[in-house]
Amino acid sequence: MTEQGEISSLCPSTCPLRKFQTGKVSTTSIKTGESISNSNEGLSSGLNQVEEVVRESIIKLTKSRGAQKSICPSEVCRKIFPSTCWRAHMQLVRRVGFELAEEDIIVVTQLVDEVDQETPNTASGEPAGGESFNVGDRIHDPDKFLGTVKYVGAVEKQSGTWLGIEWDISSRGKHNGKLGDKEYFTCSVSNAGSFIKIHKARKLHSLKEALVLRYGYDEAVPNSLKSIEDGLERKKISYNQLRCLNLSSKGVIDSPENIEEILSLCPNVQVLELADNLIKSWSFVGSLCTGLPKLLRIDFSKNPLTEITDEELEQYKSAFQGVDHVILGSSGYDWRSFLKLSVLWPKVSNLQVPFNCISTIVPPTVTLMNITSLDLEGNKIICWNEILKFTVLERLEYLNLCGNKLKAIRFPAETDQVDTLTSSFFPNLKKLNLTENSIDDWISVSEFNKLKQLEELRIDLNPFMNKDTRANNRQMIIARIGRLKKLEGVDIHRQERRDSEIDYVKRYSDQWHAEKDSFRFAAENPRYMELIKKWGQSEVGETSTVVKTMKSSLINVTLVPQIPSQKPCAKKVVPTMTVQKLKAFVQRVFKETEPPTKITAVSSRNPGISFSLDDDFMDLATYSVEEGDKLLIVW
């Protein structure tokens, strides 16, 4: 991995990156820039695989958009990463964008102004974020390796300002500070040094220094707590009014300092956010939280926290007594580690532990009994039986399992159960997120009908949905889960439920007539008999009519644009085409700059009947668009 290509947070919060544009270099290749070499010393070359994909996507998107046009970093994220977690990769995309701009492949703009990528080659470097660096400063890189600045300035044959770092862990280094015939700095430990671009470094700060950076600064007294208080007074804010203390991504380390002096200024803090720092010790966390008696929520995600010791558990068991919301994402812990920590949080009701190493579950027996919301996104749980162990959390109302690898959902038969269509598991679960798992059968979907309180479900991006249209999948899910009120964040209205359940009965009518006494059919369609009683039985052969209208046979329609400059034209379309795709098709046919805003179908059998195609996700067959119908197009 090159020093130019090392992973880093890119975009400073004070100068957000807004747009990418094509630059002076016209190329589709992935350039990595020049490197500095001195036999085996210097800047090595190469990029990791994710960065390669990001670089290629930025280049292709900017080129396809055209000259003087721009793209947003979010477009790249949405293209590459899953819809549920693309925001987590924004910093990576922004950083790669800056690197491409440094190579003159693209131009980075903020609003309408081009962002300057160059930093003056001075003895003190100051990146876009406002942090300046001097020899002797303690820093960390994006991978949270710690080091000391030994050199600030230019490096021969390279643009911009570089930092020469002596790393605490010598294996992180590559040389002794000498490149070619020039010695830029020296190291106390052999081969512990290397160079990094200035925007890849972040200063280490004590808690006091982080407070100064975040909440106030007086140049006359740069490190005093009084200066922080004065700064807040100028903003008409007093420290005892602070309810949320947010020091995330400030390079905070658990250095020895007088925490009591700091906390005496803000005794009313209820929310403490220290995510993405370099805090290792639970003693530091415990001491900090002990001084905040009104604390309700803590976030220590993305910190290299060590396993808590028995001594620390005993010492700080009263530090979190009022805390009811705990966030510990990307901490590298398994479930046993969280269960051990849970002794500290007797009142916690909302536990978020996403992107950790949880694969197996030990059921809690004493702690966590007040949990109503549990977030396990991005963990490594494969077996649904592990999830069933959480049924001891009788108050659980929301469960987020997005981004795991669950394949099949089955609730076990209960020996004393009279009603086999419901389950005693998760008696109060109302909201469930199973987006981006590996569920590959419809029986798993039907199993959720057994949950007595389930009202909201997210289940997109699972393999079983790849076999049909999005609209048909929505109908089938609604029909199979009778109590559902919201699917993928969209309300289910009475009419939609009625239509979905009737279509479900019709779709499986022939199969039911052929297999009505079959155990397999009953297992795969547990609500079918209930829906027959509710909506009536379909006749034999009715399904074939429905299937015929749904299959991909072309039908002729007449597109009638409601603007004088365009003439009607006949086109062939497929009944499974969604309204959204039809609008895009119409835009191409008539070469308009925008898709139409409204399409109305006029029946060929009865011209007096017309109806609006107003749901972009519904297909033409659902609207019963037939051979010879006219489609009135409005822009």
Side-chain angles (χ1 to χ4, degrees):
M1 181 180 294
T2 58
E3 309 240 12
Q4 289 178 315
E6 288 172 344
I7 295 178
S8 163
S9 61
L10 162 74
C11 187
S13 59
T14 56
C15 184
L17 178 63
R18 300 294 179 137
K19 302 287 185 180
F20 297 151
Q21 290 181 349
T22 52
K24 300 175 184 178
V25 179
S26 178
T27 178
T28 56
S29 64
I30 301 175
K31 296 176 63 178
T32 58
E34 298 178 357
S35 62
I36 303 173
S37 61
N38 179 30
S39 66
N40 293 327
E41 299 177 342
L43 306 182
S44 59
S45 61
L47 289 169
N48 69 30
Q49 187 176 5
V50 176
E51 285 183 295
E52 290 274 6
V53 174
V54 172
R55 287 173 64 89
E56 185 175 13
S57 296
I58 292 174
I59 293 169
K60 286 184 176 179
L61 281 172
T62 51
K63 284 181 67 64
S64 64
R65 191 62 52 86
Q68 304 305 314
K69 302 289 186 180
S70 61
I71 65 168
C72 291
S74 61
E75 294 181 65
V76 181
C77 280
R78 291 175 186 271
K79 181 178 177 62
I80 301 173
F81 302 106
S83 61
T84 56
C85 60
W86 62 266
R87 287 184 177 87
H89 301 277
M90 284 290 286
Q91 284 190 333
L92 171 62
V93 172
R94 288 167 174 158
R95 177 180 60 75
V96 173
F98 269 129
E99 291 176 352
L100 287 169
E102 289 173 353
E103 298 166 31
D104 210 17
I105 294 176
I106 66 170
V107 173
V108 177
T109 62
Q110 178 188 338
L111 298 178
V112 295
D113 298 322
E114 184 175 339
V115 177
D116 182 12
Q117 302 299 317
E118 296 301 323
T119 307
N121 297 331
T122 61
S124 176
E126 185 172 350
E131 259 191 336
S132 61
F133 294 90
N134 295 284
V135 172
D137 284 344
R138 294 282 291 160
I139 64 98
H140 69 92
D141 72 352
D143 294 319
K144 298 192 175 179
F145 282 97
L146 308 185
T148 303
V149 177
K150 307 288 284 191
Y151 172 82
V152 183
V155 175
E156 188 176 353
K157 296 182 181 180
Q158 296 296 311
S159 62
T161 301
W162 293 76
L163 300 180
I165 308 296
E166 181 175 356
W167 300 100
D168 292 5
I169 299 177
S170 59
S171 59
R172 172 68 177 82
K174 296 177 173 64
H175 51 71
N176 291 314
K178 183 178 181 181
L179 295 177
D181 297 328
K182 184 172 181 178
E183 184 176 81
Y184 292 88
F185 62 94
T186 59
C187 295
S188 57
V189 178
S190 178
N191 289 325
S194 69
F195 289 95
I196 63 172
K197 275 296 187 71
I198 196 168
H199 68 261
K200 298 180 185 295
R202 292 290 182 270
K203 275 188 180 180
L204 301 184
H205 297 291
S206 66
L207 188 64
K208 181 189 296 187
E209 291 168 339
L211 279 165
V212 172
L213 285 173
R214 176 67 177 84
Y215 292 105
Y217 184 75
D218 188 337
E219 292 183 355
V221 268
N223 284 312
S224 72
L225 293 175
K226 183 64 169 61
S227 71
I228 307 173
E229 222 167 4
D230 291 344
L232 289 170
E233 286 176 4
R234 287 194 296 271
K235 300 174 185 177
K236 306 300 182 185
I237 302 172
S238 63
Y239 241 101
N240 60 17
Q241 288 179 300
L242 277 178
R243 298 294 182 268
C244 177
L245 190 60
N246 186 351
L247 298 176
S248 296
S249 304
K250 295 295 182 184
V252 177
I253 55 174
D254 41 4
S255 60
E257 56 182 318
N258 190 348
I259 293 179
E260 289 75 14
E261 178 191 6
I262 299 169
L263 297 179
S264 64
L265 293 174
C266 45
N268 295 312
V269 167
Q270 297 176 2
V271 177
L272 179 61
E273 297 185 1
L274 274 164
D276 194 21
N277 283 295
L278 294 109
I279 299 168
K280 297 181 179 180
S281 167
W282 277 100
S283 293
F284 178 84
V285 174
S287 299
L288 187 56
C289 294
T290 300
L292 298 171
K294 298 182 179 181
L295 201 58
L296 299 176
R297 187 179 85 194
I298 58 172
D299 185 355
F300 284 90
S301 302
K302 295 184 179 180
N303 277 282
L305 286 162
T306 57
E307 290 283 342
I308 194 167
T309 65
D310 293 339
E311 292 77 14
E312 288 171 327
L313 276 176
E314 180 64 27
Q315 183 176 357
Y316 298 109
K317 62 183 179 181
S318 62
F320 307 88
Q321 289 298 305
V323 173
D324 71 348
H325 188 173
V326 175
I327 309 173
L328 276 171
S330 302
S331 301
Y333 287 169
D334 60 12
W335 180 249
R336 289 181 181 274
S337 298
F338 288 118
L339 199 58
K340 183 178 181 180
L341 284 166
S342 66
V343 176
L344 297 173
W345 317 314
K347 296 182 179 179
V348 66
S349 63
N350 188 341
L351 179 61
Q352 292 182 257
V353 289
F355 305 104
N356 277 288
C357 301
I358 300 172
S359 58
T360 57
I361 305 300
V362 176
T365 55
V366 178
T367 60
L368 302 180
M369 290 299 130
N370 294 317
I371 290 289
T372 59
S373 178
L374 180 59
D375 182 358
L376 295 167
E377 179 178 357
N379 277 282
K380 302 175 181 180
I381 306 172
I382 298 174
C383 181
W384 178 250
N385 287 338
E386 297 298 323
I387 302 301
L388 291 177
K389 296 174 183 179
F390 285 121
T391 199
V392 297
L393 305 177
E394 294 185 356
R395 298 183 182 182
L396 188 64
E397 296 180 3
Y398 172 70
L399 180 59
N400 183 5
L401 299 169
C402 171
N404 282 270
K405 297 298 178 185
L406 295 165
K407 186 173 183 179
I409 311 298
R410 300 290 188 275
F411 289 99
E414 300 169 63
T415 54
D416 58 346
Q417 185 179 6
V418 177
D419 181 8
T420 59
L421 298 180
T422 60
S423 173
S424 63
F425 287 85
F426 302 111
N428 290 300
L429 189 65
K430 296 179 180 179
K431 301 178 183 180
L432 178 61
N433 189 344
L434 280 159
T435 302
E436 200 185 352
N437 275 270
S438 301
I439 300 170
D440 60 0
D441 67 335
W442 279 101
I443 297 179
S444 293
V445 178
S446 294
E447 285 289 288
F448 294 126
N449 190 55
K450 296 180 179 179
L451 296 174
K452 299 176 183 178
Q453 301 294 330
L454 187 64
E455 296 178 352
E456 297 184 26
L457 177 66
R458 290 181 181 270
I459 199 169
D460 203 4
L461 301 178
N462 277 280
F464 78 92
M465 301 187 73
N466 297 334
K467 302 171 185 178
D468 209 336
T469 66
R470 193 177 187 88
N472 286 346
N473 285 332
R474 180 175 173 86
Q475 281 190 323
M476 292 301 101
I477 294 170
I478 291 171
R480 287 172 181 268
I481 308 175
R483 301 174 188 86
L484 213 56
K485 295 180 179 179
K486 186 176 288 188
L487 178 60
E488 307 302 343
V490 179
D491 288 337
I492 301 170
H493 298 292
R494 182 182 299 178
Q495 184 65 38
E496 184 181 18
R497 173 161 290 285
R498 175 186 179 278
D499 293 345
S500 296
E501 291 178 349
I502 291 175
D503 285 348
Y504 177 70
V505 170
K506 290 181 178 179
R507 173 176 283 213
Y508 290 96
S509 175
D510 285 356
Q511 185 180 349
W512 177 75
H513 280 290
E515 306 177 20
K516 64 174 62 178
D517 297 324
S518 164
F519 173 80
R520 184 178 68 86
F521 183 85
E524 292 179 357
N525 303 276
R527 284 201 76 208
Y528 198 79
M529 291 305 299
E530 173 192 346
L531 295 180
I532 284 180
K533 293 177 182 179
K534 184 176 181 181
W535 301 113
Q537 177 181 328
S538 294
E539 298 298 327
V540 178
E542 188 173 349
T543 306
S544 61
T545 304
V546 175
V547 172
K548 184 176 179 180
T549 65
M550 295 299 291
K551 70 179 183 179
S552 299
S553 56
L554 294 174
I555 59 173
N556 291 291
V557 296
T558 302
L559 305 179
V560 185
Q562 302 298 291
I563 50 178
S565 59
Q566 297 283 7
K567 296 181 180 181
C569 66
K571 291 291 179 181
K572 292 183 178 182
V573 296
V574 291
T576 54
M577 176 183 285
T578 64
V579 175
Q580 186 178 48
K581 291 183 178 180
L582 176 63
K583 288 180 178 179
F585 174 69
V586 169
Q587 180 185 355
R588 293 195 301 271
V589 168
F590 293 104
K591 299 180 180 179
E592 293 291 334
T593 57
E594 299 289 339
T597 57
K598 183 179 180 181
I599 299 180
T600 301
V602 179
S603 173
S604 58
R605 298 185 185 185
N606 189 344
I609 297 177
S610 64
F611 44 92
S612 177
L613 310 185
D614 51 10
D615 189 332
D616 283 352
F617 296 104
M618 299 287 276
D619 55 34
L620 301 183
T622 304
Y623 280 108
S624 299
V625 174
E626 298 177 322
E627 178 79 16
D629 285 357
K630 290 183 180 180
L631 302 180
L632 308 183
I633 316 297
V634 177
W635 275 272

